[in-house]
Amino acid sequence: MNNFEYCCPTHVVFGKGSIAKLNDLIDKNKKVLMIYGGGSIMKNGVYNQVKQALEGYNLLEFGGIEPNPKYETCMKAVEIIKNEGVDFLLSVGGGSTLDATKFISIASKYNGNDAYDAIMIREEQINDAIPLGDVITLPATGSEMNNGGVISRLSTGEKLPFHNNLVYPQFSIIDPEVTFSLPVRQTINGIVDTFVHVMEQYSTYDVNTPLQDGWALTILKTLIDEAPKVLSNPADYDARANIFWCATCGLNYWISLGAVQDWATHMIGHELTAFYGIDHGQSLAIVLPRLLKNQKVSKSRKLAKLAREVFGINEPVDLKAADIAIERIEEFFNSIGMKTKLSDYEIDSQEAAEKIRARFEQRNVAFGEKGAVTADTAYDILTEC
Ligand code: NZQ
Ligand code: ZN
């Protein structure tokens, strides 16, 4: 096992009725900006629950954060914060709203010209941020218990991640009942995103982390067991609760402690979203099976273990078991209604491969646990997608 440090300061409040606890979690003397997305919280009652819990607070609102949140929108919130002297941010929505809130929290304390360039590209160390908390409404990103975010920029067509310990939420309220209203597409996106987060951290090479691997494989098994239940009965509380906790634990870094991580599927997927606008979960479902095939030899030991422990495959040869695991993963995605080919979205694989190769070449980057996913490898993977 590799050395690691771990400190997640987020106070998690999980379960039905938890939104009412907001007033125990935010200091009444704070000037709060509530940040939300395109209006789902108005339709499913979450907005009213939050307003009721925060009655008497000095509460401002900023709505309109879009899926794959945009830098340009975030900077409008930054302006309000600077003008109004806001000192606490409350994100109410999915991962996009929370990622945007995290970006806004540090961008509000940045005094230079171009916060996107500073935070996402030059990765300047920023040492101050506005504290934040969240009511998370979509199980997918794990953003509620991690220090990352992904922000897109309209003017350049970029979609890039950032990390900063200052943006760990002070608290996250996770009420599975708020997910009853999710559109099927978003439920599926969230299940696939969670599945792929686990694969990015598990499916590398073995450095003897049996506990973390066991957690990872149990998350995968739980997703496979619970997904059909929420799809056939969207108001199945226990299944919604299990899926939400899988999503949170899928990217709160527990499964990657001391282990080796990949993240190449995400980096290619982000480009597909940036160029073609497909959902984050959709992009991952397309890339993962082909990336695993391409990198099968170096990942075969972990993939074979997955085949045996998650899918019950009785194949003693690792490379053959790895092949079966990859097939079963794609079958699982298809079985819950997730499409796994670029052609399903009328995207030409050759064109996508060329565009993304050019972008990775221009940035001079290589991804994966061994840096094996170069611009040329990404091209090979995408032509198979
Ligand atoms: O905007 P509103 O109206 O709220 O509607 C949203 C949005 O249209 C809707 N929704 C959310 N909760 C709902 C709901 N509709 C009904 N009932 C509810 N309870 O769902 C749509 C999608 O929401 P979004 O927040 O975009 O989805 P998700 O949580 O999947 O977030 C995706 C973003 O997270 C990034 C992705 O790249 C993408 O930009 N990621 C963030 C990560 C992180 N912070 O660690 C890691 C991930 O790998 C991922 O990259
Ligand atoms: Zn993801």
Side-chain angles (χ1 to χ4, degrees), residues 268-329:
I268 299 173
H270 287 168
E271 297 305 330
L272 286 175
T273 299
F275 280 123
Y276 299 102
I278 58 174
D279 294 346
H280 177 60
Q282 294 168 339
S283 75
L284 304 175
I286 293 167
V287 176
L288 181 77
R290 261 56 65 184
L291 182 131
L292 293 178
K293 272 227 152 74
N294 184 283
Q295 297 292 307
K296 184 181 72 182
V297 174
S298 68
K299 293 179 182 292
S300 63
R301 187 161 165 187
K302 289 270 196 122
L303 284 173
K305 186 176 159 84
L306 186 160
R308 293 175 195 129
E309 295 190 17
V310 174
F311 294 112
I313 305 300
N314 207 1
E315 167 55 63
V317 179
D318 278 2
L319 275 176
K320 285 189 189 162
D323 269 329
I324 301 172
I326 299 165
E327 273 165 35
R328 290 294 176 89
I329 290 168

Side-chain angles (χ1 to χ4, degrees), residues 351-369:
E351 182 200 277
E354 281 167 19
K355 280 185 167 175
I356 293 173
R357 176 172 64 186
R359 211 167 222 194
F360 285 173
E361 269 170 359
Q362 180 206 340
R363 291 190 195 138
N364 193 21
V365 286
F367 302 108
E369 63 273 21

Side-chain angles (χ1 to χ4, degrees), residues 36-44 46 64-70 92-100 102 136-152 159-163 175-183 185-187 189-190 193-194 196-197 200 244 251 253 263 266 269-270 273 279-281 283-284:
Y36 59 91
S40 71
I41 63 164
M42 307 293 177
K43 293 186 205 135
N44 60 13
V46 171
I65 301 292
E66 51 285 272
N68 306 307
K70 305 293 178 289
V92 184
S96 292
T97 299
L98 180 48
D99 284 5
K102 289 174 172 180
I136 185 81
T137 64
L138 200 165
T141 60
S143 192
E144 63 274 17
M145 215 177 150
N146 71 38
N147 65 351
V150 187
I151 303 295
S152 301
K159 177 174 180 176
L160 296 170
F162 70 97
H163 293 90
D175 178 349
E177 276 189 330
V178 310
T179 66
F180 292 175
S181 60
L182 276 173
R185 171 171 145 196
Q186 299 304 343
T187 297
N189 278 341
D193 194 18
T194 303
V196 179
H197 292 160
E200 301 273 26
F244 221 140
L251 198 44
Y253 310 138
W263 295 103
H266 268 70
H270 287 168
T273 299
D279 294 346
H280 177 60
S283 75
L284 304 175

Side-chain angles (χ1 to χ4, degrees), residues 190-339:
I191 292 167
V192 169
D193 194 18
T194 303
F195 198 104
V196 179
H197 292 160
V198 174
M199 294 301 290
E200 301 273 26
Q201 297 161 90
Y202 164 82
S203 163
T204 57
Y205 57 89
D206 198 353
V207 291
N208 201 357
T209 51
L211 174 62
Q212 297 86 322
D213 295 352
W215 287 335
L217 296 178
T218 302
I219 294 175
L220 299 184
K221 273 192 247 178
T222 308
L223 290 173
I224 292 167
D225 290 343
E226 303 297 296
K229 297 182 194 168
V230 292
L231 292 172
S232 64
N233 176 12
D236 181 336
Y237 178 82
D238 288 328
R240 289 287 194 188
N242 286 325
I243 286 189
F244 221 140
W245 193 231
C246 280
T248 306
C249 295
L251 198 44
N252 64 359
Y253 310 138
W254 290 347
I255 62 173
S256 63
L257 298 177
V260 176
Q261 304 182 50
D262 180 343
W263 295 103
T265 297
H266 268 70
M267 298 318 287
I268 299 173
H270 287 168
E271 297 305 330
L272 286 175
T273 299
F275 280 123
Y276 299 102
I278 58 174
D279 294 346
H280 177 60
Q282 294 168 339
S283 75
L284 304 175
I286 293 167
V287 176
L288 181 77
R290 261 56 65 184
L291 182 131
L292 293 178
K293 272 227 152 74
N294 184 283
Q295 297 292 307
K296 184 181 72 182
V297 174
S298 68
K299 293 179 182 292
S300 63
R301 187 161 165 187
K302 289 270 196 122
L303 284 173
K305 186 176 159 84
L306 186 160
R308 293 175 195 129
E309 295 190 17
V310 174
F311 294 112
I313 305 300
N314 207 1
E315 167 55 63
V317 179
D318 278 2
L319 275 176
K320 285 189 189 162
D323 269 329
I324 301 172
I326 299 165
E327 273 165 35
R328 290 294 176 89
I329 290 168
E330 190 164 8
E331 277 166 27
F332 168 62
F333 291 166
N334 293 150
S335 77
I336 59 172
M338 176 58 90
K339 298 185 167 123

